[in-house]
Amino acid sequence: MSTSGKRPLMPLRIQPFRVVENAFLAFAVGLVLWVAWLALSTVWTVGGVLLAVFQDDYGVPCKDAFAYLRAPIPDGATNLRCRSHGVLDETYQVTFRMPQADLDTWVAKSFPDRKPPDENPFLRGPCKYDLCVGVMRDRMDRSNTGATDIALTARHADDGTTLVYFDAS
């Protein structure tokens, strides 16, 4: 023995039980975290799908929809039906009737930035309605506070009115 009274250094012995115990604990924690991640991902995905499938379109005041569109409600408009179904983005769908004679003036005043029919990004082929209007505004322009994508269609009726439908997001 040593004369200093201290115990001699012992070689470090790895205890097999501690290594197995630590490995098991690390595996268990990893498994619990993976199951929690899987459960949250499933809830997030299923919740989003259920929200999209079962979300009821709800009526909104038409003045809000037209304000988002940045267009006035046409004079003589009747049968206005305005809905919004946006979850993450604002989206409005509006249907109304208006006098056929006023349609071109209202469209020209409301959408000076409209695309010509051959450049309409929303059309796949020729327009199947009496009028098709597409408007795409710059999403990155901070001064743009309303709709950036507008698709408008109009179908003339025999009674001198026009059924107008637009989808704005």
Side-chain angles (χ1 to χ4, degrees):
M1 263 188 124
S2 107
T3 58
S4 65
K6 294 183 180 178
R7 292 187 355 197
L9 292 175
M10 300 286 288
L12 181 63
R13 287 186 288 160
I14 298 176
Q15 298 177 354
F17 179 71
R18 292 266 184 212
V19 170
V20 171
E21 181 182 67
N22 289 341
F24 177 75
L25 184 61
F27 177 77
V29 167
L31 184 64
V32 166
L33 290 174
W34 180 77
V35 168
W37 172 82
L38 185 64
L40 286 174
S41 297
T42 303
V43 167
W44 183 266
T45 303
V46 170
V49 168
L50 290 176
L51 185 61
V53 169
F54 294 110
Q55 180 185 10
D56 191 21
D57 288 344
Y58 54 94
V60 294
C62 285
K63 66 178 179 64
D64 294 347
F66 278 91
Y68 185 68
L69 183 66
R70 295 189 318 208
I73 296 176
D75 294 331
T78 59
N79 301 338
L80 280 108
R81 182 172 179 226
C82 303
R83 298 181 296 154
S84 176
H85 58 85
V87 176
L88 298 176
D89 297 324
E90 273 186 289
T91 302
Y92 290 95
Q93 292 177 333
V94 177
T95 305
F96 62 93
R97 287 200 172 278
M98 68 178 293
Q100 183 176 338
D102 299 339
L103 178 66
D104 290 334
T105 305
W106 178 75
V107 168
K109 184 173 107 177
S110 300
F111 308 107
D113 52 349
R114 68 191 177 280
K115 301 282 184 194
D118 58 333
E119 295 179 26
N120 188 335
F122 302 107
L123 286 179
R124 305 268 192 264
C127 178
K128 297 175 182 155
Y129 300 94
D130 295 313
L131 177 68
C132 296
V133 175
V135 178
M136 292 187 74
R137 297 178 179 142
D138 185 8
R139 292 178 184 268
M140 303 309 284
D141 183 4
R142 294 196 184 267
S143 66
N144 185 7
T145 58
T148 55
D149 299 324
I150 303 164
L152 181 140
T153 58
R155 184 173 300 269
H156 301 313
D158 293 334
D159 63 357
T161 63
T162 300
L163 179 64
V164 179
Y165 170 83
F166 73 76
D167 192 349
S169 58

